[in-house]
Amino acid sequence: MKFTATALLAQGALAAAATSGDFTILTMNVAGLPEVLNPNGVPGGKEASSKTIGSKFAQYGYDVIHVQEDFNYHAALYSTDTHPYRTPTSGGVPFGSGLNTLSNFPWLSGSFQRQKWAKSSCASEFDCLTPKGFTFMRVALSSSSDTTDAVYVDFYNMHTDAGTETADLEARNDNLRQVGEWIQTHSQGNAVLVFGDTNSRYSRSGDTGIRSLLKSENPTGAAGLQDIWVELHQNGVVPNGAGVCGNPAQDAVCEIVDKVLYRSSPLVTLTPTALEYAGPRFLADDGVSVLSDHNPVLVNLTWSAADRRFRQSGFWGGAAYGTWFNDVSVLDSTTGSIKAQKITFRGESRLDSVGLTVASSSGQGTTGLVHGGQGGSEVSLTLADGESWVKSELCQGQKSDKTRNFYIKATTSKGRTLEAGTRTSDCKVFEAEEGWQVVGFLGESGDEVDLLGFIYGKI
């Protein structure tokens, strides 16, 4: 197995966006409950163990690391780690969720969110001691200096309800249902990676929630994920029993509760190439004692945005205010090339809505793509034969202490323009590469357009 770590400069620091690459991810329950509740038996105690774990994170340099149970020894863990992007703690027991991320890649500003489980059980374990749940962030694997092109993947970290009592199973299945619903709403059209402590086993008959996230087990489900362990170590077939792992595990044939799930999108293809249980990489200084009661899971993936029908730009505006939208799924359901026929904007003091009428060369009719509200005045521009939307300008500003898009200007290949809203001093130009044109949108909106990016298709 080959595991590599690839650092990415801060978003906007690259001259041109890469169209392919590889990266490593790790999920690790770091056993950070207070030692009086959950001792680990390692010489030096949990604070020393947390410092050792952090130093190994720095040593190995894995690109994105999700940790769970990062509670009372968070400062020790971070004190020896060197990743440039790290989430702040939400607190120790009983205040925090224990979920954090350490990354070589930046994530979209404002996209990081913590969500508490809607249902939990106090039947066993320590679930009622902390507000467990999941986290979400939109990670930039690549972005050009002018944000003309970008590659994003939605990353989820989770720690579900533990235990095997009936109430535990019901809560855990509901936890995973909640994640699936969030993916349907907030990751529509996007590539997704979900990894963390699921507390679930396919061999446990009551653990139905984890199967509901899988495309193979739930073909009509919105999540549509694949389990990388199943794909690489179980010949793609979800097992009903795979043996019990030791700690550290000597191979990855047995099943553990820490899992990595993924899916690709029309904008980027993810391909897992290796998965290992990385317990032997995380031993105490004596070379024998484990630093956690969980086997960490290490995965290498390649990604590619090359040879895709569609690309995306970076974003402008503010995240986490509105409802997510992404036109790429609608566009990808067509065949042939896509041609923009009419651009429509609404705006006055701010940008209220964006719209685009597109048609496929295969003769499937026209499709209207509209996002935002009904405020402001409407303006439109019908494109001539051979004319494409190739350049965009967005301006953002503050409204009610939230960043929103205030202005848009579209420029066509024939030099004609259409604009709406009110220009501010904080603007960004997005220009399609030669041979590409704007054919759709992605972002967040409500009554107005909060966050906006562009989908490009070939001319």
Side-chain angles (χ1 to χ4, degrees), residues 111 113 115 134 136-138 154 156 178-192 263 320-326 443-444:
S111 68
Q113 298 183 57
Q115 296 294 316
F134 69 94
F136 167 84
M137 58 174 58
R138 184 155 290 132
D154 289 351
Y156 291 78
Q178 187 176 338
V179 171
E181 289 182 352
W182 184 275
I183 291 172
Q184 181 178 17
T185 301
H186 294 81
S187 294
Q188 185 265 326
N190 293 354
V192 171
R263 78 178 187 202
Y321 310 142
T323 300
W324 171 254
F325 60 85
N326 189 340
E444 296 180 9

Side-chain angles (χ1 to χ4, degrees), residues 63-239:
D63 287 310
V64 182
I65 300 171
H66 282 344
V67 294
Q68 305 84 41
E69 290 193 14
D70 180 21
F71 292 119
N72 289 41
Y73 309 96
H74 171 80
L77 180 74
Y78 273 22
S79 70
T80 53
D81 171 71
T82 56
H83 280 79
Y85 304 98
R86 306 188 300 193
T87 56
T89 181
S90 56
V93 175
F95 305 105
S97 68
L99 300 175
N100 279 305
T101 298
L102 309 88
S103 176
N104 288 329
F105 301 137
W107 49 86
L108 179 67
S109 177
S111 68
F112 176 67
Q113 298 183 57
R114 297 182 182 273
Q115 296 294 316
K116 186 177 181 295
W117 297 130
K119 186 173 185 178
S120 61
S121 166
C122 300
S124 57
E125 305 295 333
F126 301 107
D127 292 315
C128 287
L129 290 179
T130 62
K132 292 168 68 174
F134 69 94
T135 66
F136 167 84
M137 58 174 58
R138 184 155 290 132
V139 174
L141 297 184
S142 177
S143 180
S144 61
S145 57
D146 60 0
T147 62
T148 293
D149 289 304
V151 177
Y152 288 94
V153 175
D154 289 351
F155 278 63
Y156 291 78
N157 185 10
M158 71 165 78
H159 190 187
T160 68
D161 202 278
T164 57
E165 301 293 332
T166 298
D168 297 324
L169 293 168
E170 290 176 351
R172 182 158 61 248
N173 291 335
D174 192 73
N175 297 163
L176 294 166
R177 175 202 57 76
Q178 187 176 338
V179 171
E181 289 182 352
W182 184 275
I183 291 172
Q184 181 178 17
T185 301
H186 294 81
S187 294
Q188 185 265 326
N190 293 354
V192 171
L193 274 162
V194 179
F195 51 112
D197 182 354
T198 73
N199 275 310
S200 303
R201 297 182 189 273
Y202 297 117
S203 56
R204 189 183 293 136
S205 61
D207 273 331
T208 59
I210 188 66
R211 291 176 181 263
S212 71
L213 296 178
L214 303 185
K215 185 176 182 179
S216 62
E217 300 289 300
N218 185 17
T220 61
L225 305 178
Q226 294 174 260
D227 185 316
I228 295 178
W229 172 74
V230 171
E231 182 174 333
L232 297 182
H233 291 280
Q234 299 296 321
N235 297 315
V237 179
V238 177

Side-chain angles (χ1 to χ4, degrees), residues 380-428:
S380 64
L381 177 65
T382 299
L383 303 182
D385 290 342
E387 185 177 23
S388 304
W389 178 3
V390 295
K391 184 178 178 180
S392 312
E393 183 179 11
L394 294 173
C395 297
Q396 64 185 16
Q398 295 291 312
K399 173 65 167 63
S400 301
D401 295 323
K402 295 180 179 179
T403 303
R404 304 177 187 272
N405 278 292
F406 276 51
Y407 171 86
I408 189 170
K409 179 181 179 180
T411 302
T412 75
S413 56
K414 293 185 180 295
R416 296 200 293 164
T417 62
L418 182 72
E419 57 188 329
T422 301
R423 180 183 288 275
T424 71
S425 60
D426 190 4
C427 303
K428 187 70 178 179

